């Protein structure tokens, strides 16, 4: 059984930082793509950052480029999202997701392309 468990969410003032963690476990840990998505109330779920686990390639949403950094620790089967210079518009439920295979040699960025999801962790940024 695949499990993705997020942690690290919380409340912070604008300009602050948080680091989210996602621990992956279960049947076969060989995920080609790991990603972070977020969903704010009344909005659709959107991709924040995606990591290709073998090649290390990363993608970021334009809204977080230069502020967020995705990374992985293979020994711990964990993917991180370092979030700096947080803004109130970053407030959302953040989800970790995994995909077993690549699409056209890379990782897709749409939520529907990922088959495994964590339960989410709330991030609230106050002004």
């Amino acid at each position: 059984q695949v499990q993705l468990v997020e942690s690290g969410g919380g409340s912070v003032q604008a300009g602050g930082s948080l680091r989210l963690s996602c621990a992956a476990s279960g049947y076969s840990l060989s995920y080609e793509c790991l990603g972070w998505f977020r969903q704010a109330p009344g909005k659709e779920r959107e991709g924040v950052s995606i990591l290709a686990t073998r090649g290390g390639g990363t993608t970021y949403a334009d809204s977080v480029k230069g502020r967020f950094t995705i990374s992985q620790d293979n020994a711990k089967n964990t993917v991180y999202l370092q979030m700096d210079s947080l803004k109130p518009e970053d407030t959302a439920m953040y989800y970790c997701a995994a995909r077993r295979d690549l699409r056209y040699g890379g990782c897709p960025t749409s939520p529907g392309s990922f088959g495994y999801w964590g339960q989410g962790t709330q991030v609230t940024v106050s002004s």
Side-chain angles (χ1 to χ4, degrees), residues 72-93:
Q72 62 178 334
D73 184 332
N74 291 331
K76 297 181 179 179
N77 297 312
T78 299
V79 62
Y80 303 98
L81 185 68
Q82 177 67 40
M83 305 187 295
D84 298 319
S85 302
L86 282 161
K87 303 176 181 180
E89 50 263 45
D90 295 318
T91 295
M93 184 71 78

Side-chain angles (χ1 to χ4, degrees), residues 24-119:
S25 62
Y27 173 71
S28 178
L29 301 176
S30 57
Y31 305 107
E32 291 286 353
C33 306
L34 289 170
W36 287 98
F37 296 80
R38 67 185 181 187
Q39 188 167 18
K43 295 188 176 181
E44 293 186 353
R45 191 168 298 189
E46 62 175 356
V48 176
S49 184
I50 310 297
L51 171 72
T53 59
R54 297 184 191 276
T58 57
T59 59
Y60 294 92
D62 288 342
S63 58
V64 306
K65 282 181 181 177
R67 301 188 297 120
F68 290 11
T69 304
I70 191 170
S71 62
Q72 62 178 334
D73 184 332
N74 291 331
K76 297 181 179 179
N77 297 312
T78 299
V79 62
Y80 303 98
L81 185 68
Q82 177 67 40
M83 305 187 295
D84 298 319
S85 302
L86 282 161
K87 303 176 181 180
E89 50 263 45
D90 295 318
T91 295
M93 184 71 78
Y94 282 70
Y95 298 91
C96 175
R99 178 185 168 94
R100 290 200 183 282
D101 57 351
L102 300 175
R103 176 180 289 174
Y104 306 118
C107 291
T109 58
S110 62
S113 299
F114 284 71
Y116 304 97
W117 291 86
Q119 82 289 349

